[in-house]
Amino acid sequence: MNKQNQNGKMQCEIGMVGLGVMGRNLLLNMADHGFTVAGFDKDKNKVDSLRKESKEKHVYGAFTVEEFLQLLKKPRAIMLLVPAGHPVDLVIDELLPHLQPGDLIIDAGNSHFTDTNTRAQMLQGQQIQFLGVGISGGEEGARLGPSIMPGGPKAAYEKVRPILEAVAAKVNGDACVTYLGPGSVGHYVKMVHNGIEYGIMQLIAETYDLMKRGLGLNNTQLHDVYRLWNEAELNSYLLEITSNIFAKQDEKTGKQVIDEILAVAKQTGTGMWTSQSAMELQVPVPTIDLAVSMRDLSVFVKEREQASKLYKNPMMLANVDHNIFIKQLQGALFSSMIMVYAQGMMLLAVASDKYAYELNLEAVARIWRGGCIIRARILEDITAAFRANHHLSNLLLDPNLAEKILMQQNNLRQIVSQASFLGVPVPGLMVTLSYLDAYRSVWQPANLIQAQRDYFGSHTYERMDTEGTFHTEWEQDVST
Ligand code: 6PG
């Protein structure tokens, strides 16, 4: 250890705090690209295993702050990959007394964007630079190339730009990282990324339910359907892993793992944060909201058991041509998936205005094309849509994407109506279809809502024929 520290003293271009799988993998990725790096974790075992894994590379390890900081070149660049929330503050508090003006802290975890704002302000007062960086791609992405969403002062980004560009995923040679803007924008974009992730995962889960309970397909058939879908316009990381999941055998039982997994969905909060932020900014993201609600509903196992006895029917096998149904389902999923991106992107556009992020949505779509969990072929079209119109308020208004949705809208309608007769829940698909129907409609029944508000609360309303605000005495007879 001492010998190693002597060798590495003041040599490392970047240090990583937190040597969990993500931190360790990202550090090894940096080392693969020729950077000299240091890892710090209080858990000595993690430091030892980092050293073991990185034999020939320029990777140093420490399990005390002092030793760790000794390894870093000045001004220092320190990345944190620790669980979001209080642990981030604890690490910053521990580092702070040892840092000097000009040192840089990069929070690369899934921090809430408001925490990032608070930390940036506090650190600015201490002349410590701070970047809030979203990283997506899971363990494998961290090791082989994630999508990286950085936000904060541009000068701070420039310091670590070569490292981030080197380790990021590449799509046709283009690194899946770019400077996104000031403040907490990196964590905001990552949060919305995860909201979209929740939405797409829910939609895929609904197609699984329909094919399993509605058509009676087995896991092998499901594996094949998802594999074929992934070869066409639905091509995406989430479809790819879904197909693989249905082929995976359980070592313990020899059966397929999927059938051994308890149907209770967990969450770490980023999807819920997306919904909360969207509500606050008054941007409709119904598919994402719904995805969060369905994870919540999955937890009520006992109640669902009770209800299944009370509400027995209907739940039946579809009497349909399987090939036609699966084709319709493919189209329904594809069009809905576009609309989840549309909801997320619309939220980003509004948040960018509200929080002065100066976001370039083309750049966001571009860096999501590789490395991250929501990478998908359709992101090429989404990137092109924002390239053609930087002020596009909703992707549904892009002519090319509109054409794709229009081509599939009848399939989506067919699936939603058949599912409702079968009694198979497809709330994500349903709400997405209704989102489309509401969004494309000039007339809304909101006039009635305004009338009701005015009726019971004198909240007033606007008229179509005259400017101004009006109130009606609803219970007063006009003829009297
Ligand atoms: C990613 C993932 C990653 C993590 C999610 C899981 O982009 O690499 O989104 O951030 O796997 O946070 O979120 P839930 O635990 O809430 O499903």
Side-chain angles (χ1 to χ4, degrees), residues 173-196:
D174 194 11
C176 292
V177 58
T178 192
Y179 174 69
L180 289 178
S184 53
V185 68
H187 281 143
Y188 197 93
V189 170
K190 177 65 196 336
M191 176 188 80
V192 175
H193 165 286
N194 281 27
I196 296 171

Short mmCIF file of all heavy atoms in Angstrom, two decimals, residues 173-196:
data_model
loop_
_atom_site.label_atom_id
_atom_site.label_comp_id
_atom_site.label_asym_id
_atom_site.label_seq_id
_atom_site.Cartn_x
_atom_site.Cartn_y
_atom_site.Cartn_z
N GLY A 173 -18.47 6.87 -33.58
CA GLY A 173 -17.33 7.70 -33.21
C GLY A 173 -17.69 8.93 -32.39
O GLY A 173 -16.81 9.64 -31.90
N ASP A 174 -18.98 9.18 -32.23
CA ASP A 174 -19.44 10.35 -31.50
C ASP A 174 -19.63 9.98 -30.02
O ASP A 174 -20.40 9.06 -29.70
CB ASP A 174 -20.79 10.76 -32.13
CG ASP A 174 -21.22 12.14 -31.73
OD1 ASP A 174 -20.40 12.87 -31.15
OD2 ASP A 174 -22.40 12.47 -31.99
N ALA A 175 -18.90 10.69 -29.12
CA ALA A 175 -18.98 10.35 -27.69
C ALA A 175 -20.34 10.73 -27.11
O ALA A 175 -20.86 11.81 -27.39
CB ALA A 175 -17.86 11.04 -26.94
N CYS A 176 -20.89 9.84 -26.29
CA CYS A 176 -22.20 10.09 -25.68
C CYS A 176 -22.04 10.94 -24.42
O CYS A 176 -22.42 10.52 -23.32
CB CYS A 176 -22.91 8.78 -25.41
SG CYS A 176 -23.37 7.96 -26.93
N VAL A 177 -21.45 12.08 -24.58
CA VAL A 177 -21.32 13.07 -23.51
C VAL A 177 -21.17 14.43 -24.17
O VAL A 177 -20.58 14.54 -25.25
CB VAL A 177 -20.08 12.77 -22.62
CG1 VAL A 177 -18.78 12.74 -23.40
CG2 VAL A 177 -19.96 13.80 -21.49
N THR A 178 -21.76 15.43 -23.53
CA THR A 178 -21.54 16.79 -23.98
C THR A 178 -21.89 17.71 -22.83
O THR A 178 -22.67 17.33 -21.94
CB THR A 178 -22.40 17.13 -25.23
OG1 THR A 178 -21.95 18.34 -25.79
CG2 THR A 178 -23.87 17.26 -24.89
N TYR A 179 -21.34 18.90 -22.83
CA TYR A 179 -21.69 19.86 -21.78
C TYR A 179 -23.14 20.25 -21.97
O TYR A 179 -23.53 20.73 -23.04
CB TYR A 179 -20.76 21.08 -21.87
CG TYR A 179 -21.15 22.17 -20.91
CD1 TYR A 179 -20.99 21.99 -19.53
CD2 TYR A 179 -21.68 23.36 -21.37
CE1 TYR A 179 -21.36 22.98 -18.64
CE2 TYR A 179 -22.05 24.37 -20.48
CZ TYR A 179 -21.89 24.17 -19.12
OH TYR A 179 -22.26 25.15 -18.24
N LEU A 180 -23.97 20.06 -20.94
CA LEU A 180 -25.40 20.31 -21.12
C LEU A 180 -25.83 21.70 -20.70
O LEU A 180 -26.82 22.23 -21.21
CB LEU A 180 -26.21 19.27 -20.35
CG LEU A 180 -26.20 17.84 -20.92
CD1 LEU A 180 -26.99 16.89 -20.04
CD2 LEU A 180 -26.75 17.81 -22.35
N GLY A 181 -25.10 22.29 -19.75
CA GLY A 181 -25.50 23.62 -19.30
C GLY A 181 -25.14 23.84 -17.85
O GLY A 181 -24.48 23.01 -17.23
N PRO A 182 -25.61 24.97 -17.30
CA PRO A 182 -25.21 25.34 -15.93
C PRO A 182 -26.04 24.64 -14.85
O PRO A 182 -27.05 23.99 -15.14
CB PRO A 182 -25.49 26.84 -15.91
CG PRO A 182 -26.65 27.00 -16.86
CD PRO A 182 -26.47 25.96 -17.92
N GLY A 183 -25.59 24.81 -13.62
CA GLY A 183 -26.36 24.38 -12.45
C GLY A 183 -26.61 22.89 -12.41
O GLY A 183 -25.73 22.07 -12.70
N SER A 184 -27.85 22.54 -12.08
CA SER A 184 -28.19 21.13 -11.82
C SER A 184 -28.70 20.42 -13.06
O SER A 184 -29.31 19.35 -12.96
CB SER A 184 -29.25 21.09 -10.73
OG SER A 184 -30.34 21.93 -11.08
N VAL A 185 -28.47 20.99 -14.25
CA VAL A 185 -29.08 20.42 -15.46
C VAL A 185 -28.69 18.95 -15.70
O VAL A 185 -29.52 18.16 -16.17
CB VAL A 185 -28.76 21.29 -16.71
CG1 VAL A 185 -27.30 21.23 -17.07
CG2 VAL A 185 -29.61 20.89 -17.89
N GLY A 186 -27.46 18.59 -15.35
CA GLY A 186 -27.02 17.19 -15.58
C GLY A 186 -27.88 16.22 -14.80
O GLY A 186 -28.33 15.19 -15.33
N HIS A 187 -28.13 16.56 -13.54
CA HIS A 187 -28.96 15.66 -12.72
C HIS A 187 -30.43 15.75 -13.12
O HIS A 187 -31.16 14.76 -13.01
CB HIS A 187 -28.77 15.97 -11.24
CG HIS A 187 -27.50 15.36 -10.70
ND1 HIS A 187 -26.70 15.97 -9.77
CD2 HIS A 187 -26.89 14.19 -11.00
CE1 HIS A 187 -25.66 15.19 -9.50
NE2 HIS A 187 -25.74 14.10 -10.25
N TYR A 188 -30.86 16.91 -13.61
CA TYR A 188 -32.25 17.02 -14.07
C TYR A 188 -32.46 16.12 -15.29
O TYR A 188 -33.44 15.36 -15.37
CB TYR A 188 -32.62 18.48 -14.39
CG TYR A 188 -34.12 18.64 -14.45
CD1 TYR A 188 -34.84 19.02 -13.33
CD2 TYR A 188 -34.82 18.34 -15.63
CE1 TYR A 188 -36.23 19.10 -13.37
CE2 TYR A 188 -36.20 18.42 -15.68
CZ TYR A 188 -36.90 18.81 -14.54
OH TYR A 188 -38.28 18.88 -14.59
N VAL A 189 -31.52 16.20 -16.23
CA VAL A 189 -31.65 15.39 -17.45
C VAL A 189 -31.59 13.90 -17.09
O VAL A 189 -32.35 13.09 -17.63
CB VAL A 189 -30.55 15.77 -18.47
CG1 VAL A 189 -30.49 14.78 -19.63
CG2 VAL A 189 -30.80 17.18 -19.01
N LYS A 190 -30.72 13.54 -16.16
CA LYS A 190 -30.65 12.12 -15.76
C LYS A 190 -31.95 11.67 -15.09
O LYS A 190 -32.42 10.55 -15.31
CB LYS A 190 -29.46 11.88 -14.81
CG LYS A 190 -29.36 10.44 -14.29
CD LYS A 190 -29.09 9.46 -15.40
CE LYS A 190 -29.32 8.00 -15.16
NZ LYS A 190 -29.32 7.37 -13.90
N MET A 191 -32.54 12.56 -14.31
CA MET A 191 -33.81 12.23 -13.66
C MET A 191 -34.88 11.94 -14.72
O MET A 191 -35.61 10.94 -14.64
CB MET A 191 -34.24 13.40 -12.77
CG MET A 191 -35.58 13.23 -12.13
SD MET A 191 -36.10 14.75 -11.28
CE MET A 191 -36.72 15.71 -12.67
N VAL A 192 -34.95 12.80 -15.73
CA VAL A 192 -35.96 12.61 -16.78
C VAL A 192 -35.62 11.36 -17.60
O VAL A 192 -36.53 10.61 -18.01
CB VAL A 192 -36.10 13.87 -17.67
CG1 VAL A 192 -37.05 13.62 -18.83
CG2 VAL A 192 -36.58 15.05 -16.83
N HIS A 193 -34.36 11.11 -17.81
CA HIS A 193 -33.94 9.86 -18.46
C HIS A 193 -34.57 8.68 -17.71
O HIS A 193 -35.15 7.77 -18.31
CB HIS A 193 -32.41 9.75 -18.46
CG HIS A 193 -31.88 8.38 -18.77
ND1 HIS A 193 -31.93 7.33 -17.86
CD2 HIS A 193 -31.30 7.86 -19.87
CE1 HIS A 193 -31.41 6.26 -18.38
NE2 HIS A 193 -31.02 6.54 -19.62
N ASN A 194 -34.47 8.72 -16.40
CA ASN A 194 -35.01 7.61 -15.62
C ASN A 194 -36.54 7.56 -15.66
O ASN A 194 -37.13 6.49 -15.65
CB ASN A 194 -34.52 7.69 -14.17
CG ASN A 194 -33.09 7.19 -14.03
OD1 ASN A 194 -32.32 7.26 -14.99
ND2 ASN A 194 -32.73 6.70 -12.87
N GLY A 195 -37.16 8.75 -15.73
CA GLY A 195 -38.62 8.77 -15.87
C GLY A 195 -39.03 8.08 -17.16
O GLY A 195 -39.96 7.26 -17.19
N ILE A 196 -38.31 8.38 -18.23
CA ILE A 196 -38.60 7.73 -19.53
C ILE A 196 -38.34 6.22 -19.40
O ILE A 196 -39.12 5.40 -19.89
CB ILE A 196 -37.74 8.37 -20.65
CG1 ILE A 196 -38.13 9.84 -20.85
CG2 ILE A 196 -37.87 7.59 -21.96
CD1 ILE A 196 -37.21 10.63 -21.77
#
